Each structure stands twice: as structure tokens, then as C-alpha cells.
Amino acid sequence: MEHASHIFSYKTLGLVLGALLVLTGVTVGASYIDLGWVNVWIALVIASAKASLVLVVFMHMNSAGKGVVVSFLSTVFFLAIMIGFIFWDVAFR
Amino acid sequence: METVASFYETPEPARFTGIWSWLLTLDHKRIGLMYLFAILFWFLLAVLLGGVLRLELMFPGETILSPGLYNSAFTLHGVIMIFLFIIPALPAIFGNFFLPIHIGADDVYFPKLNLLSWYLYMAGGGIAIFSLFSDGFADTGWTFYVPFSISTNTNVSTTVFAAFVLGFSSMLTGLNFITTVHKMRDRAMGWLQIPLFTWSLYATAWVQLLATPIIAITLVLVMIERFFNVGLFDPARGGDPILYQHLFWMYSHPAVYIMILPGMGVISEIIPVFARKSIFGYKAIVGSSLAIAIAGSLVWAHHMYTSGMSDTAVFVFSLLTYVVAIPSAIKVFSWVATLYKGAIEMTPPLFFSLCFIYLFSVGGLTGLVLGAAGANIHVHDTHFVVAHFHFTMFGGTGFAFFAALHYWWPKMFGRMYDFKKAYIAAILVTGGFMFHYVPMFILGLQGMPRRYYDYLPQYANGNFFAGFGALFMILGIGLMVANLLVSLSRPRNAGPDPWGGVTLEWTIPSPPPVHNFVRPPEIMAYPYDFSGVTDRSAQRPKGE
């Protein structure tokens, strides 16, 4: 079947679900430790990792067409710029 | 051209008749028309509200509106104009109707999603009206700035929810347009054979898709803060009010380009047709549309120079703001260069387009005054900003909307309107516009703040003149709409190509058949080749 390679096993899906929950816990835990501006980057990195897992495994981005992948990467790039530009303000207040 | 039944006589899907053939239609043209009448309703309502506001300001002191009512009235005026008129008007009406035709397609890629977008639009409008009659309409202005929007007792949550729903409608339309351009474009049509209006819609759609989720989430955060007292933006609870402004303008400044880019696309269609000349700098216009979409998304904080954000941010965003002026100037130059040595034929659509170029240029240049951080500090939150904003949005998008109405009306309805009345209306609107907004520039420079129902005696003359201009403008808008609507009672006499246009919509009957093309469309190597076009003015019905 053409789409067979796109289907992940229940075990994989369960592992990803577990990873998402663990990463959520890490985010909450990290928020209790005051690391200054590093806190924001930790939260962003964890959130990006979680979003990537959802996109690759649950939304099958790994087997999507070129157009979809390029569109997705554009949105990531755009979002990164938007968030990054806020630091022109936050980092220099 | 052979006679074929138009989409009015051919419901899609065919099993629905009467009102259901409209309410459940999947035809992009019918959906476009449903948007047209809904948007016209909201536009006229907001125009009347604006008129009431100016009537209050014509004379000092409290006249017809109490301070609280004045706050709610300008908020309602802003919310309707922004979310229910300017943002959806050109993409939802003319984009829906003409984008598929421009690329040789018979519909958009997701027709059902298209209908859902219309229902979301109607639901958003309905929720906004509902909020009027529950706990009173929001009094925050259309920007919903915190911490006031969190602490006020008016019904901010419902109004914000209305904007949230409208945002979804906008996103789905953008998604549909991007997919349609990629997937349904005629195989013979390369990227550089796409008409400029469709190019502008494509660039706009990306901004709609990427920026709208930010405002949607931000508005949800405001609701969460109001309902659950979470300290996101309220400094009293440890929140950051400037963060709200960042998030709000991260969408709302690109939204300005969602509003103006399709308008620029309309002008790029009209100017070459009535100059009988190929558009000057097709590739430059395409590139500038994309450049505006990208650069325009990175300048949001120029609305925040006085908010207390860092000086570094003020410097960076002021610099970036000047970058956006370049692609906008490229467009204006291209339009004027197209007119140069053209065989110009004056018609109502061209008249509105010329007014657009002038008014938008004034709006753009005064935007540079506001983009410069030093000057901005002095005129921030004054009537200067109100005048600038209306010059770009009303003088720009509004006039492009009027131009589009007069340009495509014969194609959409198959009927020509009365030119004389159209010109009188256009002159009234333009003259009234100048009389209305130029005094506001002066009032702003004199220091009159925006959003106040009353003012000091030295501002009395300017406000009186501005109110006077508003009355002329409203009269002109009423005449323009009436003239167009009256034409609907006339026989279908417009013919397939009354203007001598060369893009694909002018190769099919007026109004178009349900699947747009009776025969496979012939894609021209270049979309603005007027070498085969003859003068149409003698044969054209004048709508008398």
C-alpha cells in the first residue's frame, strides 16, 4: 500500500505522547528556576521540540510533499523572526 | 460570443433552489456576491456611525453623544470598519469572484471551506451586534489595549470573541486562495502570467495565514485574563502590558497590508486597461507585493514608540518602517509610468483609481512622519494619526474598493451603471474626503488628541470644517451605492468586455456561467498585452 510507510505503530505514537507529557513537565519545572533571560529560550526550545514531534509523527510532515514542507518551514522561519524581534525590546529595556 | 445561462440561473449544487441555492451554494461567484451585500451593509452602518461621531465633534461640548456612548461608538465604528469591511472587502468579494477566473479555474480549491468562511464572517458580525445589546459595546477602541480592556465593565469579551471568529474567516479565505493559485492554475499559466490582482491576493493570503493566528491567540489570552484573572498582561498581576501591544500589532500592522495590498492589485488592473497600455514594471509590481507582505510584517512596533519599550527597539523599528516605503513607492511609480503616453480614456473606475493614487500617496508620505520616532513622539495619539490612517485605509483601500466596484460591476451583474451619477458621487466623496481629513492633520499638529468627545476652544474651527466635509462624503457614498443598485433594475446590457480588458474575466460572458469558461481559456503569453484591443467607448452602454 502506498500510504503504509506513513503509518506509525501504536508503540511509537504512545512513546511520542509520553515524550510530549514529559517535556510539558520539564517546561513547568524549568519555570520555577530563575535563570533570567535563559528561561525564555528554554521554554521556546522545548515548545519547538514538542511542535516538531507533533508535526512529524502525528501530522506526517515527514512524508508530505515539497510544497507543504516549504510552506511549513516558512511559517517556522516567520514565527522565529517575530519572536526574535520582540527581543529588540525585551532584551534592551 | 455564444449565449449561455449565467450563474444566476444555474445553482451550484443544482439540487438547491430559491434562497437555499444561495445559502448553501458552493459557487465562488455567489459566495462573492453574498459577501458583497453583507459587507456593503456593514460599511454603510459604520459610515453612519462615523457621521454621528463627527456630528458630535462639530461643536464643542456634549451635543448628541455622552462620553461613554462616544467611546462605544468609535469602538464600534473601528471594529466594523476594520474587521467587517476593510480586511475582508477586496479579497472576500472580488477575490472570491475573480481569482479563480483570473487563473482559468472553475472554482476555488475548497468550495465548502469557502462557504464556511462566509458563515464565520456572518457569525462574527452577529456576535459583534449581540454584544451591543448584552452589557454594552466595548469602549476600548478597536485595539483593545490592556490593562483597560481587562478592567472595563463593558462587554469586551464578546466583542473580542467576534474579532476572533472573524479572524478564522479571514484565515480560511487566505488558505483557500493560496491552495487555489498553486493547485488550480491553468497549466499554461506560469507564475509571471498571473494577473496582478491575483498576485496581490496571493501575497495577502500568506499574511492572512501567518499573522492572523497571532491576534486570535492574543484575543483568547485577553478573555482568559478577564475570566480567570491570570496575570498575562495586567501589571498589577505581574503581567506585561507592552507584550500585549507587541502581540496585537504583530497582526494588526500586517493587517494594514492585508487591507491595502489587494487594493494595489485592483489599481494595477484598472490603470493599464484605461491607459490602453501594458503595465509598467510587471515584475517590479509582483516583487513589491511580496516585499510589502514580508517587510510589512516586521515593522509592527512603530505603533509603540511611546509605550515604554526600549530605545533600541524604537530605533530598529523606525529604520525598518522606512524600508516598507520603497516597494510602495515602486508601485506608485509604476502606475504613473503606465499612464505616461497612454491612450487614456476617463471612466468612473479610472477616476477612482487616480484619486486612490493621490490620496494613498498623501497617506504614505504622512506615514513617514509617523515612522520617524522623533516626529512620532509629538503627534502620537493625535488627530494627525487619525487623518493619516484614513488617508491610507479609506483613501487607499476604500477608494480601491469603489474603483473595483465600478470596474467589475458590469461583469458581476451584466449591467452598466450611469456614468454621470458615478462621477458626481466620486467628486462628492473625494471633495468631502479632503475637507474631512485635511483639517484633522492640522488639528493633530496643533495637539488635539484622538478619541475625545470634547476639545479645547482653539480646535473648534477645524472640527467644524471636518464635520462639514464628512456630510459631503456620506452624501457621495449614498449616491454611489444608489446608482449601482439602481442599475440592477436595468436589462443586462454590459456585454462581455465593456472596457477593453484583456485578463480572462473579459473573455467570458457577463455575468459569467456557473463554471466560468464555456471553452478552455486561452492563456496569453503576457497578461497585459493590449495590441489587439480597440476603443470600446462608442459601443459601451452608459446605463441611461
Side-chain angles (χ1 to χ4, degrees):
Chain A
M1 248 173 72
E2 191 191 342
H3 296 292
S5 60
H6 302 170
I7 298 170
F8 290 96
S9 66
Y10 283 116
K11 186 182 173 187
T12 308
L13 295 175
L15 282 172
V16 171
L17 178 62
L20 289 172
L21 291 170
V22 169
L23 286 169
T24 303
V26 174
T27 307
V28 175
S31 71
Y32 285 99
I33 306 165
D34 186 5
L35 298 169
W37 60 271
V38 179
N39 277 101
V40 177
W41 288 105
I42 290 174
L44 281 176
V45 168
I46 296 172
S48 304
K50 286 166 67 182
S52 303
L53 281 172
V54 171
L55 282 157
V56 171
V57 180
F58 292 151
M59 296 174 72
H60 304 280
M61 189 63 76
N62 59 332
S63 56
K66 190 180 166 190
V68 175
V69 173
V70 169
S71 301
F72 166 67
L73 290 176
S74 305
T75 61
V76 172
F77 181 66
F78 181 78
L79 186 64
I81 289 179
M82 293 295 232
I83 293 172
F85 271 35
I86 291 184
F87 284 85
W88 288 117
D89 173 23
V90 177
F92 292 94
R93 272 187 201 170
Chain B
M1 185 169 287
E2 64 270 52
T3 307
V4 288
S6 79
F7 71 95
Y8 291 104
E9 289 87 35
T10 324
E12 174 70 19
R15 64 181 183 279
F16 297 121
T17 56
I19 187 71
W20 297 111
S21 71
W22 287 87
L23 293 177
L24 298 175
T25 186
L26 299 180
D27 183 354
H28 66 101
K29 299 178 288 298
R30 285 189 181 227
I31 293 172
L33 289 186
M34 292 200 296
Y35 269 117
L36 169 66
F37 288 105
I39 286 172
L40 266 183
F41 165 76
W42 288 114
F43 172 64
L44 293 176
L45 181 67
V47 164
L48 289 177
L49 272 168
V52 170
L53 289 168
R54 288 317 308 184
L55 217 52
E56 163 61 35
L57 289 172
M58 268 186 97
F59 304 98
E62 185 179 327
T63 51
I64 57 169
L65 293 176
S66 65
L69 206 54
Y70 181 85
N71 286 354
S72 290
F74 76 65
T75 302
L76 189 59
H77 169 78
V79 167
I80 292 178
M81 278 298 193
I82 297 288
F83 293 109
L84 287 156
F85 171 61
I86 312 181
I87 288 178
L90 288 165
I93 300 169
F94 301 104
N96 256 317
F97 203 107
F98 291 106
L99 182 142
I101 300 174
H102 269 177
I103 58 172
D106 62 353
D107 208 324
V108 291
Y109 194 75
F110 301 114
K112 289 179 181 171
L113 203 63
N114 202 16
L115 184 62
L116 176 66
S117 302
W118 183 79
Y119 275 103
L120 286 172
Y121 172 81
M122 297 302 284
I127 294 167
I129 285 291
F130 168 76
S131 71
L132 269 179
F133 300 103
S134 45
D135 290 328
F137 197 78
D139 54 356
T140 57
W142 75 277
T143 50
F144 308 114
Y145 267 15
V146 297
F148 181 62
S149 63
I150 292 164
S151 57
T152 177
N153 290 325
T154 54
N155 205 345
V156 171
S157 300
T158 312
T159 315
V160 155
F161 183 61
F164 178 83
V165 172
L166 291 167
F168 261 90
S169 170
S170 179
M171 268 189 286
L172 294 181
T173 300
L175 178 69
N176 223 339
F177 285 178
I178 291 171
T179 317
T180 304
V181 170
H182 277 274
K183 295 285 186 185
M184 297 194 66
R185 206 169 70 249
D186 191 284
R187 286 184 179 188
M189 182 177 277
W191 281 97
L192 292 179
Q193 290 164 279
I194 296 175
L196 289 164
F197 178 58
T198 296
W199 255 116
S200 72
L201 289 171
Y202 178 76
T204 305
W206 273 106
V207 183
Q208 284 174 288
L209 200 59
L210 293 176
T212 314
I214 299 172
I215 188 78
I217 294 298
T218 306
L219 295 177
V220 168
L221 292 177
V222 169
M223 285 192 279
I224 289 173
E225 183 141 2
R226 280 181 69 88
F227 288 133
F228 303 109
N229 294 326
V230 181
L232 296 164
F233 302 125
D234 185 357
R237 301 190 189 105
D240 183 352
I242 300 180
L243 177 63
Y244 171 83
Q245 293 192 28
H246 275 296
L247 293 172
F248 178 83
W249 288 113
M250 234 182 236
Y251 163 77
S252 296
H253 191 74
V256 170
Y257 297 99
I258 293 175
M259 301 173 210
I260 195 67
L261 267 174
M264 292 169 157
V266 168
I267 304 305
S268 301
E269 290 296 323
I270 292 174
I271 296 275
V273 169
F274 297 107
R276 293 286 182 273
K277 190 165 161 255
S278 176
I279 188 95
F280 182 91
Y282 172 88
K283 288 179 184 172
I285 293 179
V286 170
S288 61
S289 291
L290 296 172
I292 287 174
I294 295 166
S297 300
L298 303 176
V299 298
W300 71 84
H302 66 210
H303 295 267
M304 300 165 52
Y305 291 155
T306 61
S307 68
M309 70 175 180
S310 78
D311 289 344
T312 309
V314 171
F315 170 76
V316 170
F317 282 100
S318 183
L319 190 70
L320 287 170
T321 298
Y322 276 76
V323 173
V324 186
I326 297 169
S328 301
I330 287 173
K331 284 186 189 294
V332 173
F333 178 80
S334 294
W335 297 324
V336 176
T338 304
L339 289 166
Y340 180 64
K341 288 190 176 178
I344 295 173
E345 183 201 354
M346 183 54 76
T347 58
L350 182 66
F351 188 89
F352 277 113
S353 301
L354 297 178
C355 293
F356 167 98
I357 294 176
Y358 176 75
L359 299 176
F360 176 74
S361 297
V362 174
L365 291 169
T366 52
L368 294 178
V369 175
L370 291 165
N376 181 285
I377 301 292
H378 297 285
V379 289
H380 190 90
D381 263 345
T382 68
H383 263 50
F384 189 91
V385 177
V386 181
H388 155 74
F389 184 68
H390 283 85
F391 258 87
T392 51
M393 291 296 96
F394 188 16
T397 310
F399 273 69
F401 175 71
F402 300 153
L405 267 180
H406 286 83
Y407 181 57
W408 280 311
W409 190 269
K411 177 56 62 182
M412 296 163 91
F413 297 100
R415 296 168 168 97
M416 190 57 85
Y417 46 82
D418 188 314
F419 275 28
K420 194 175 173 185
K421 291 189 182 70
Y423 282 129
I424 294 171
I427 291 167
L428 276 173
V429 175
T430 312
F433 182 98
M434 298 296 287
F435 229 112
H436 185 45
Y437 293 112
V438 170
M440 287 196 209
F441 276 129
I442 299 164
L443 285 167
L445 289 172
Q446 288 174 336
M448 177 167 165
R450 66 196 286 207
R451 294 179 170 171
Y452 279 39
Y453 85 105
D454 194 9
Y455 44 81
L456 298 171
Q458 61 262 39
Y459 304 131
N461 285 345
N463 276 297
F464 179 78
F465 287 128
F468 207 59
L471 294 179
F472 275 106
M473 204 165 62
I474 292 172
L475 200 65
I477 290 170
L479 177 62
M480 179 186 70
V481 173
N483 183 39
L484 291 171
L485 292 179
V486 163
S487 76
L488 296 181
S489 62
R490 300 201 174 104
R492 286 180 186 165
N493 57 358
D497 187 9
W499 308 124
V502 289
T503 40
L504 286 178
E505 75 269 35
W506 305 113
T507 65
I508 59 176
S510 304
V514 66
H515 293 301
N516 299 337
F517 296 95
V518 182
R519 291 185 299 274
E522 287 178 30
I523 309 299
M524 290 177 22
Y526 180 61
Y528 298 99
D529 179 1
F530 289 91
S531 56
V533 176
T534 53
D535 183 13
R536 308 295 166 99
S537 56
Q539 301 94 353
R540 184 188 309 133
K542 296 289 189 293
E544 268 95 20

